[in-house]
């Protein structure tokens, strides 16, 4: 595999910064005039340099201090936008605690998080202001709502204008108030509180210190890094895009372009021309299937297949013509896209091979919020999609109770591992044992090159009545090879005695491929494809039943399927 010969090449040089105040100062010092952010406001592209960003965060932080929020817990409830990022860094570089909150949650759940997290200030957008105003009696501890879209003239004692707060902070700075700028930051105290959304279980508040975050950043970017121009797409409240996209780009002094919403991703790629995007596999799958659907519809699918064969043959003799042969595909991504960072779920082999064949690398990684979040990631020249990459140096990893194949629960300990769950010592004790090992709940193994393999979730493991273990994630990967399938979950077929006796595939079909089929034709097509798949698998892995859904599976905001939605909306 390409890049395997370079497994021992040196780590990238990264300058270590112990806190976010130094990270901001370093980037302003090294790249003050460079564009840090691009984003649209009123349909006009705006740019902010690293020096301008430092001044903005210092003004905002000083404004928070003058408002009485020196050490407050500060939540952010908003869609992705530039102000979200400014707020994040302003709180991280001060003495407060930031709580990135999932905006997609029902409002009552958001209120529960604000209450449980002891938030005293909430940064929010116009979308959420009416809902907060209707429920003020449920949020007595929130002293101020700082509104991104509120005109200073319309502010009151509780609903504060973001622009007005920055102006007040700037005036205080100009008047010699250096309390925020000169604050002494502890690296071990609580700095970020992230409530896990997850695909199973009840959300918990993950406590991360400044040291947890900066250690993850330092050791993670030694192994794998971002591009020079990046497009941010994933929701910012999640620890993966927050650290591996927002913070990593800033630490590298790269340019981060902010996507307005999912409908404008294609237009943003053409406008900003990114060379790197952080995604989850479902987005990559969508790109992959869209390319092939367009090729089939335009009658160019055979030409694309022949082009891939020709390109692969040329590469074997050292000739790389991928950007020429597949120019139209590259142009649809903006023309410069070189790599996709990917995490959150397994990747299908043929999908990775396809993108590599046309000249776009996919760098798979593995992390969990409780580890700030990165555990392992593939390197640009040591990239094996079958693994989730190389274990980062700040962590130790062990496999608990391995089976005959060396697979067991992945456990890690080290600087990245969380302080614990907020106000939940019982859950903390269950997750982190007496020797400091955090039990991830994920199943996998590690090889001699410190490459980590993740095979599934411990809770999802299917144990058939014949004693055979089935990893649903592996089987789902096979089903995703069927062109008709857009989404899939594998579950156990349980008999009247409660025994798991076989496998069921619950699927949502890709409308691009089945739009001309009626219900019976769709069922027949799926049966034929599943029968073909079963012939390639050992008998204990055969899928015996297929359920076709009317609607997509419910998902988390990072597009992971919620397994609690299984069996809902099934039409056959």
């Amino acid at each position: 595999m390409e890049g395997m010969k370079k497994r021992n090449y040196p780590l990238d040089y990264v300058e270590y910064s112990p806190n976010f105040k130094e990270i901001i100062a370093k980037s302003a010092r090294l790249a003050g005039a460079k564009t840090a952010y691009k984003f649209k406001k009123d349909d006009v592209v705006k740019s902010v340099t690293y020096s301008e960003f430092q001044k903005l965060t210092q003004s905002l932080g000083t404004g928070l201090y003058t408002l009485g929020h020196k050490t407050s817990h500060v939540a952010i409830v908003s869609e992705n936008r530039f102000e979200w990022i400014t707020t994040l860094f302003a709180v991280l570089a001060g003495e407060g605690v930031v709580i990135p909150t999932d905006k997609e949650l029902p409002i009552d759940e958001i209120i529960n998080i604000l209450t449980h997290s002891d938030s005293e200030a909430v940064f929010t957008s116009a979308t959420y202001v009416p809902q907060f105003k209707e429920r003020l009696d449920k949020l007595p501890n929130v002293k101020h709502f700082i509104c991104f879209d509120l005109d200073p003239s319309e502010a009151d004692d509780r609903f504060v204008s973001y622009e007005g707060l920055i102006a007040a902070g700037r005036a205080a700075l100009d008047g010699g108030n250096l309390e925020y700028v000169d604050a002494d930051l502890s690296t071990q105290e609580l700095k970020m509180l992230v409530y896990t959304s997850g695909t199973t279980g009840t959300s918990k508040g993950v406590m991360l210190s400044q040291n947890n975050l900066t250690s993850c950043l330092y050791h993670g970017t030694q192994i794998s890094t971002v591009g020079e121009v990046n497009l941010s797409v994933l929701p910012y409240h999640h620890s993966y895009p927050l650290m591996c996209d927002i913070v990593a780009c800033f630490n590298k002094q790269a340019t981060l372009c902010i996507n307005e919403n999912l409908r404008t991703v294609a237009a943003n790629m053409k406008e900003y021309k990114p060379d790197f995007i952080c995604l989850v596999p479902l987005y990559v799958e969508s790109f992959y299937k869209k390319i092939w659907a367009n090729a089939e519809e335009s009658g160019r699918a055979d030409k694309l297949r022949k082009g891939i064969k020709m390109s692969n043959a040329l590469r074997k003799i050292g000739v790389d013509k991928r950007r020429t042969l597949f120019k139209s595909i590259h142009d649809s991504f903006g023309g410069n896209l070189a790599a996709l960072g990917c995490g959150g779920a397994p990747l299908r082999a043929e999908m990775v091979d396809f993108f590599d064949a046309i000249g776009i690398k996919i760098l798979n990684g593995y992390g969990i919020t409780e580890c700030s979040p990165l555990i392992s990631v593939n390197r640009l020249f040591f990239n094996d999609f079958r693994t989730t990459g190389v274990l980062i140096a700040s962590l130790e990893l062990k496999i608990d109770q391995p089976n005959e194949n060396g697979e067991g629960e992945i456990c890690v300990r080290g600087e990245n591992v969380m302080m614990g769950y907020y106000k939940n010592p019982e859950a903390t004790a269950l997750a982190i044992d007496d020797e400091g090992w955090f039990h991830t709940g994920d199943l996998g193994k590690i090889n001699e090159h410190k490459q980590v393999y993740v095979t599934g979730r411990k809770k999802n493991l299917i144990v058939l009545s014949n004693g055979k273990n089935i990893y649903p994630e592996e089987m789902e990967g096979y089903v995703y090879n069927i062109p008709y399938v857009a989404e899939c979950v594998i579950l156990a077929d349980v008999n009247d005695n409660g025994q798991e006796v076989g496998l069921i595939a619950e699927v949502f079909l890709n409308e691009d491929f089945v739009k001309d089929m009626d219900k019976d034709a769709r069922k027949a097509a799926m049966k034929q494809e599943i029968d073909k798949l079963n012939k390639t698998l050992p008998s204990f892995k055969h899928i015996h039943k297929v359920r076709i859904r009317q609607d997509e599976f419910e998902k988390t905001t990072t597009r992971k399927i919620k397994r609690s939605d299984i069996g809902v909306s099934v039409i056959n």
Side-chain angles (χ1 to χ4, degrees):
M1 181 169 294
E2 184 178 348
M4 292 297 286
K5 294 179 181 178
K6 296 189 178 182
R7 66 170 62 102
N8 294 319
Y9 74 96
L11 297 177
D12 293 339
Y13 171 76
V14 181
E15 182 180 331
Y16 177 68
S17 301
N19 60 58
F20 280 86
K21 187 192 301 183
E22 288 198 17
I23 289 171
I24 295 171
K26 173 186 67 180
S27 291
R29 183 183 75 248
L30 295 175
K34 184 177 179 181
T35 298
Y37 297 101
K38 285 186 177 182
F39 55 94
K40 280 190 176 179
K41 193 165 187 177
D42 300 324
D43 290 326
V44 176
V45 176
K46 304 286 186 180
S47 296
V48 176
T49 68
Y50 276 92
S51 289
E52 290 169 340
F53 187 81
Q54 182 184 34
K55 291 173 183 175
L56 267 174
T57 55
Q58 288 178 343
S59 297
L60 183 55
T62 301
L64 274 172
Y65 272 40
T66 61
L67 203 57
H69 295 294
K70 181 178 179 180
T71 58
S72 293
H73 288 203
V74 179
I76 311 174
V77 184
S78 169
E79 55 279 305
N80 287 9
R81 54 192 292 169
F82 172 67
E83 295 88 349
W84 201 111
I85 297 173
T86 310
T87 303
L88 172 74
F89 277 100
V91 180
L92 287 174
E95 296 168 271
V97 176
V98 67
I99 299 99
T101 308
D102 185 350
K103 66 179 178 59
E104 298 295 336
L105 292 173
I107 187 63
D108 289 337
E109 287 189 42
I110 291 174
I111 287 172
N112 287 340
I113 287 175
L114 298 181
T115 302
H116 185 269
S117 65
D118 300 311
S119 294
E120 293 182 294
V122 178
F123 282 78
T124 191
S125 66
T127 305
Y128 303 92
V129 168
Q131 298 178 75
F132 286 134
K133 284 188 173 180
E134 290 171 3
R135 296 166 175 82
L136 286 177
D137 59 319
K138 296 182 178 180
L139 293 165
N141 294 326
V142 178
K143 298 181 175 68
H144 297 102
F145 295 88
I146 297 95
C147 309
F148 295 140
D149 312 293
L150 186 65
D151 188 276
S153 64
E154 299 174 358
D156 57 32
D157 289 343
R158 199 163 181 190
F159 284 83
V160 177
S161 163
Y162 169 85
E163 293 296 337
L165 187 60
I166 287 177
R170 188 179 299 118
L173 272 174
D174 292 343
N177 183 338
L178 300 178
E179 186 180 16
Y180 171 84
V181 174
D182 291 342
D184 184 22
L185 305 183
S186 166
T187 60
Q188 301 302 327
E189 292 180 359
L190 177 62
K191 178 50 59 179
M192 185 184 291
L193 191 51
V194 184
Y195 283 80
T196 59
S197 53
T199 53
T200 57
T202 305
S203 70
K204 299 181 283 288
V206 177
M207 297 192 293
L208 300 174
S209 69
Q210 188 116 222
N211 185 62
N212 287 150
L213 299 169
T214 56
S215 172
C216 177
L217 175 66
Y218 174 66
H219 292 286
T221 50
Q222 285 181 324
I223 294 174
S224 189
T225 190
V226 292
E228 287 298 325
V229 177
N230 306 266
L231 179 65
S232 69
V233 174
L234 299 176
Y236 292 164
H237 74 271
H238 195 280
S239 57
Y240 162 40
L242 192 155
M243 287 298 294
C244 301
D245 201 0
I246 298 173
V247 173
C249 284
F250 194 90
N251 194 55
K252 187 187 175 179
Q253 299 93 53
T255 298
L256 186 66
C257 305
I258 301 172
N259 161 246
E260 304 90 69
N261 56 64
L262 294 181
R263 295 187 303 276
T264 64
V265 171
N268 286 161
M269 286 192 290
K270 289 181 180 178
E271 184 161 26
Y272 296 130
K273 304 185 186 308
D275 51 33
F276 190 90
I277 309 176
C278 275
L279 294 172
V280 291
L282 204 57
Y283 285 108
V284 181
E285 186 89 34
S286 174
F287 288 159
Y288 171 75
K289 290 193 172 180
K290 194 70 176 174
I291 290 168
W292 279 112
N294 288 341
E296 294 284 358
E297 192 170 329
S298 64
R300 291 183 293 179
D302 285 341
K303 183 178 179 181
L304 179 56
R305 293 185 188 97
K306 289 175 182 176
I308 288 172
K309 286 182 180 179
M310 181 191 305
S311 175
N312 289 342
L314 288 171
R315 288 167 67 195
K316 287 179 181 178
I317 59 173
V319 178
D320 189 346
K321 293 289 186 181
R322 288 176 290 179
R323 292 204 167 259
T324 302
L325 288 168
F326 310 108
K327 184 178 183 300
S328 62
I329 297 176
H330 282 275
D331 287 347
S332 70
F333 289 115
N336 294 329
L337 189 63
L340 299 169
C342 210
L347 286 164
R348 295 199 292 117
E350 65 280 1
M351 192 168 67
V352 180
D353 286 342
F354 169 78
F355 279 101
D356 181 62
I358 66 171
I360 299 171
K361 282 185 178 290
I362 296 182
L363 302 173
N364 194 24
Y366 165 54
I368 189 167
T369 302
E370 287 86 343
C371 293
S372 310
L374 195 60
I375 293 174
S376 63
V377 64
N378 269 288
R379 307 195 68 191
L380 194 59
F381 301 111
F382 182 34
N383 182 23
D384 184 349
F385 69 86
R386 295 168 300 183
T387 80
T388 59
V390 181
L391 180 70
I392 68 174
S394 53
L395 291 175
E396 300 175 77
L397 184 148
K398 77 169 183 177
I399 302 299
D400 191 40
Q401 299 181 10
N403 63 16
E404 66 277 9
N405 298 317
E407 297 172 338
E409 184 178 11
I410 297 171
C411 300
V412 292
R413 68 180 177 188
E415 289 184 86
N416 292 23
V417 175
M418 67 172 178
M419 302 166 67
Y421 294 114
Y422 193 58
K423 297 193 284 194
N424 197 339
E426 296 83 6
T428 302
L430 287 173
I432 303 176
D433 65 28
D434 293 340
E435 295 181 341
W437 290 102
F438 170 66
H439 292 249
T440 65
D442 292 316
L443 298 170
K445 60 183 180 179
I446 188 167
N447 68 17
E448 67 273 21
H449 306 302
K450 292 193 174 181
Q451 291 172 297
V452 180
Y453 297 77
V454 180
T455 51
R457 286 290 292 170
K458 192 175 180 181
K459 289 181 180 179
N460 298 340
L461 185 68
I462 296 171
V463 183
L464 298 178
S465 56
N466 61 8
K468 295 289 188 180
N469 289 352
I470 302 290
Y471 298 107
E473 294 85 355
E474 175 197 355
M475 298 299 300
E476 287 157 10
Y478 298 142
V479 177
Y480 273 119
N481 289 335
I482 299 171
Y484 306 128
V485 175
E487 297 173 6
C488 171
V489 168
I490 295 291
L491 59 151
D493 188 10
V494 181
N495 67 15
D496 293 338
N497 296 322
Q499 295 174 310
E500 297 181 333
V501 294
L503 301 180
I504 300 172
E506 186 168 318
V507 298
F508 175 69
L509 300 183
N510 187 329
E511 194 60 30
D512 288 335
F513 286 91
V514 300
K515 58 188 175 185
D516 297 325
M517 298 181 186
D518 62 19
K519 179 180 174 181
D520 290 338
R522 294 180 183 199
K523 288 169 66 175
M526 277 304 302
K527 182 181 185 307
Q528 184 178 23
E529 292 293 338
I530 291 296
D531 287 346
K532 283 165 56 179
L533 171 61
N534 284 339
K535 289 176 182 178
T536 69
L537 298 170
S539 59
F540 72 91
K541 290 186 178 181
H542 284 188
I543 296 168
H544 299 287
K545 297 179 183 177
V546 179
R547 296 176 181 169
I548 298 177
R549 295 174 60 88
Q550 182 174 354
D551 301 309
E552 294 183 18
F553 287 94
E554 185 181 354
K555 301 175 190 69
T556 69
T557 47
T558 50
R559 306 295 292 169
K560 293 182 185 177
I561 290 172
K562 291 186 176 181
R563 290 182 179 263
S564 59
D565 192 41
I566 294 170
V568 179
S569 182
V570 172
I571 61 174
N572 77 321

